[in-house]
Amino acid sequence: MFLFFAGLFLIIAILYILVPPFFGPPSVPTRHERIRKALQLADLQPDEVLYDLGAGDGRVLVIAAKEFGAQAVGVEIGPVQCAVSWGKALWNKISSKVRVEARNFYHADLSNADVVFAYLTSDQAGRLQEKLKRELKSGARVVTVAFNFPDWEHTSLDRENLIFLYKK
Ligand SMILES: C[S@@+](CC[C@H](N)C(=O)[O-])C[C@H]1O[C@@H](n2cnc3c(N)ncnc32)[C@H](O)[C@@H]1O
């Protein structure tokens, strides 16, 4: 019995660590305070739709739904990360305000997003920028943590936390 659970734990840990680097950065979470700063910079309003591209352990979704009253959608490729995000939404009793899509975010439909949050790498910036410019509605905001877009002038910048704000 012990060996079964130890093996299961090992498989889950390996999936958690190994799946994300196939698609982009490893699953490194953003600090909670930095998330709050980013959502404030984006001026996220109650009932607006927030997308986190690469939702990781779901912490952005929880803060957006619980503290800002937003409808939060996470798009995440890692199966374990998705399960953790779903679990956190249930635990925090906000599952009616949170949706997690287990998929590659390049294939997600972002047309109803009011705010997009992304903590990724510069390698992903070019392709993502094109998708956002193509799909986002007019007035939508994008906040990027630790990376910026090559050909999109940011509207505002939090230098201390390295958070960029873009407006469509
Ligand atoms: C640096 S972590 C950020 C997690 C979370 N957004 C946060 O700020 O705490 C990036 C996440 O993006 C996910 N990811 C990377 N490329 C992806 C893709 N193309 N589609 C969906 N998820 C992706 C990874 O699995 C990882 O969990």
Side-chain angles (χ1 to χ4, degrees):
M1 195 57 130
F2 171 76
L3 277 183
F4 171 78
F5 282 110
L8 190 64
F9 179 79
L10 195 66
I11 290 169
I12 290 173
I14 288 171
L15 279 176
Y16 191 94
I17 294 165
L18 290 189
V19 172
F22 277 105
F23 297 90
S27 208
V28 179
T30 309
R31 281 183 295 105
H32 291 90
E33 208 39 51
R34 203 177 188 191
I35 294 169
R36 291 187 184 100
K37 293 262 194 264
L39 300 186
Q40 280 161 5
L41 191 67
D43 195 24
L44 180 64
Q45 296 296 311
D47 291 324
E48 281 196 317
V49 179
L50 172 286
Y51 272 71
D52 183 11
L53 303 184
D57 67 4
R59 58 181 62 199
V60 177
L61 309 179
V62 172
I63 291 176
K66 251 187 128 164
E67 299 181 20
F68 290 77
Q71 298 289 332
V73 183
V75 190
E76 172 57 53
I77 202 88
V80 182
Q81 282 83 353
C82 288
V84 173
S85 295
W86 281 317
K88 275 191 174 175
L90 282 175
W91 178 259
N92 285 283
K93 300 186 175 62
I94 47 169
S95 47
S96 63
K97 292 186 85 73
V98 171
R99 194 173 86 236
V100 181
E101 296 180 11
R103 64 193 311 192
N104 189 324
F105 58 63
Y106 291 116
H107 301 148
D109 175 6
L110 304 177
S111 57
N112 74 332
D114 295 297
V115 173
V116 173
F117 178 100
Y119 175 31
L120 300 166
T121 62
S122 309
D123 295 347
Q124 292 168 303
R127 187 174 169 198
L128 184 59
Q129 169 192 278
E130 293 315 312
K131 179 175 172 63
L132 293 169
K133 280 186 167 174
R134 206 171 45 240
E135 286 184 23
L136 288 183
K137 60 188 175 196
S138 174
R141 291 92 76 203
V142 181
V143 271
T144 62
V145 172
F147 78 101
N148 62 333
F149 293 122
D151 308 309
W152 193 353
E153 187 84 30
H154 57 263
T155 313
S156 183
L157 164 64
D158 175 342
R159 279 183 199 282
E160 197 185 329
N161 294 289
L162 205 59
I163 302 166
F164 298 83
L165 171 72
Y166 298 87
K167 285 195 181 150
K168 172 91 186 283

